[in-house]
Amino acid sequence: MDLKEYFPFWNQLTPKQQQTLQISIHKKTFSKGAILHYGLEDCVGLLLPVSGQLRVYMASEEGKEITLYRLFERDICLFSASCMLKNIMFDVCIQAEQDTTLLHIPVEIYKNLMEESLAVAHYTNELMASRFSDVMWLVDQILNKKLDTRVAAFLIEESQLTQSSEIHVTHEQIAHHLGSVREVVTRMLKYFQTEGLVALTRGSIKIIDEKKLKELALVSLK
């Protein structure tokens, strides 16, 4: 495997560092729905999807969930190894949304590279800043967008990801993504259906009026 395709800092590593990384990385496969990381007490190392899709989310003690961001091919998951980052207390869970193959980098290996290489440390800081930007964007969505707008945006995003107007997702799964509850999401989707925006069937949602759904997705509380 040509690792320089996955790590922007590869050419700035010494031959010894490249060899250490090469022999330490393991390829792993997870089935859809598998939980890969359980929070701060589960420091599994860095995860880099080669194929598939991961969901990074937070969960309350009551079981309520909200998706923070998703990871696709060549996205590095840093917070699955947050134990190596000083003063970072980011308690997240990670789930495979599709059958996923990824590269696993042990914590100590990457931590040593950060300490030895300015290029790796700089890349890690940029990646961390990018992820926090994703989280801050989500906070803005929660504070400044109504739930109908967020549901509409979620449906548009899912349609674009799957390249299909028919989305195979349950109301419970949507609620988990948005930090809501199934009953509220169900009422919202039924309203969308009466307005001619979607058609609901068991286990799937078909987008009927994409234009109006996109317009709704842009509406804010302000």
Side-chain angles (χ1 to χ4, degrees), residues 18 23 27 31 37 50 60-61 63 73 98 120 166 173 185 198 208:
Q18 290 178 350
I23 63 177
K27 184 178 289 189
S31 299
H37 176 64
V50 175
S60 69
E61 292 182 358
E73 182 180 346
Q98 300 175 1
V120 176
E166 187 167 359
Q173 288 171 324
V185 170
V198 302
I208 303 300

Side-chain angles (χ1 to χ4, degrees), residues 69-105:
Y69 52 85
R70 285 157 156 169
L71 296 166
F72 304 95
E73 182 180 346
R74 302 191 184 188
D75 287 336
I76 290 184
C77 185
L78 186 63
F79 292 118
S80 55
S82 58
C83 60
M84 72 178 182
L85 304 171
K86 293 182 180 179
N87 302 319
I88 296 295
M89 301 294 288
F90 212 65
D91 198 5
V92 301
C93 300
I94 302 168
Q95 181 181 39
E97 283 198 307
Q98 300 175 1
D99 291 343
T100 300
T101 298
L102 54 80
L103 304 180
H104 172 251
I105 310 166

Side-chain angles (χ1 to χ4, degrees), residues 98-115:
Q98 300 175 1
D99 291 343
T100 300
T101 298
L102 54 80
L103 304 180
H104 172 251
I105 310 166
V107 171
E108 287 304 317
I109 297 299
Y110 195 85
K111 184 178 180 181
N112 289 339
L113 284 177
M114 278 202 306
E115 293 173 350

Side-chain angles (χ1 to χ4, degrees), residues 38-150:
Y38 296 91
L40 288 174
E41 297 181 359
D42 181 32
C43 195
V44 297
L46 280 79
L47 308 175
L48 196 162
V50 175
S51 63
Q53 180 175 312
L54 301 180
R55 171 188 174 229
V56 180
Y57 66 97
M58 298 184 75
S60 69
E61 292 182 358
E62 296 77 23
K64 190 175 181 180
E65 300 177 4
I66 185 167
T67 299
L68 300 178
Y69 52 85
R70 285 157 156 169
L71 296 166
F72 304 95
E73 182 180 346
R74 302 191 184 188
D75 287 336
I76 290 184
C77 185
L78 186 63
F79 292 118
S80 55
S82 58
C83 60
M84 72 178 182
L85 304 171
K86 293 182 180 179
N87 302 319
I88 296 295
M89 301 294 288
F90 212 65
D91 198 5
V92 301
C93 300
I94 302 168
Q95 181 181 39
E97 283 198 307
Q98 300 175 1
D99 291 343
T100 300
T101 298
L102 54 80
L103 304 180
H104 172 251
I105 310 166
V107 171
E108 287 304 317
I109 297 299
Y110 195 85
K111 184 178 180 181
N112 289 339
L113 284 177
M114 278 202 306
E115 293 173 350
E116 296 172 359
S117 170
L118 287 176
V120 176
H122 179 66
Y123 171 77
T124 304
N125 288 335
E126 285 190 337
L127 182 61
M128 186 161 47
S130 175
R131 294 306 175 212
F132 274 119
S133 293
D134 291 337
V135 174
M136 293 308 297
W137 176 87
L138 175 63
V139 171
D140 178 70
Q141 292 290 300
I142 294 172
L143 293 177
N144 297 314
K145 301 278 187 177
K146 296 188 296 182
L147 184 62
D148 58 348
T149 296
R150 295 174 61 216

